[in-house]
Amino acid sequence: MASLHAFTPIKKVISRLPVPSDESQMLNEVDFTSSFKWTYLIADNMQFSEKRPYSIRLQKPDNNTLISWIEKIVLGKECANLFIEELNLDEVTYKRIKQLCIDNQVTLVNLYQQHSSQHNVIKGPW
């Protein structure tokens, strides 16, 4: 029973980093415009600013269902980018998901909302 309690949810920087689509890709050079592959956004409070081709927004389910969805989306080989709002995973699950994304060339980005700058967004024609 002691080993069951050894895995606690991680809320550290490890789960906030984007997963590169291959080992050589730099984290700041993520390509979000892949033709004929889908971009998914799984979130409760975030949405796309405009409708883009090949983009899908899904309401975020509970954590166990979310992990299952991530695996199915990645293994379907039709996804290029996967954005998830506030994804918190234990270390074992994170490593498994990360390896799936690397193997299937999916970029996984964990999004965190900054509540302090919520009303500081300016949108204009420039």
Side-chain angles (χ1 to χ4, degrees), residues 30-104:
V30 179
D31 179 24
F32 298 116
T33 58
S34 178
S35 61
F36 306 115
K37 287 207 173 187
W38 290 90
T39 296
Y40 286 82
L41 170 62
I42 302 176
D44 287 327
N45 303 312
M46 297 179 185
Q47 60 187 8
F48 294 111
S49 61
E50 59 187 48
K51 180 63 179 154
R52 315 264 297 151
Y54 298 102
S55 62
I56 299 173
R57 181 191 180 276
L58 301 171
Q59 192 70 27
K60 187 176 173 186
D62 63 275
N63 208 34
N64 290 332
T65 305
L66 178 62
I67 292 168
S68 174
W69 283 13
I70 294 169
E71 291 172 352
K72 289 176 183 178
I73 289 170
V74 170
L75 291 173
K77 300 191 186 293
E78 295 295 324
C79 177
N81 307 300
L82 183 56
F83 296 93
I84 302 175
E85 179 183 17
E86 297 186 16
L87 177 63
N88 292 312
L89 302 173
D90 60 72
E91 189 174 356
V92 173
T93 305
Y94 174 76
K95 287 181 180 180
R96 187 176 79 239
I97 296 293
K98 180 179 177 180
Q99 191 59 49
L100 278 175
C101 289
I102 290 170
D103 292 344
N104 293 286

Side-chain angles (χ1 to χ4, degrees), residues 4-18:
L4 292 177
H5 300 288
F7 299 111
T8 57
I10 292 179
K11 294 185 179 180
K12 295 191 288 189
V13 175
I14 189 169
S15 65
R16 292 184 184 191
L17 295 176

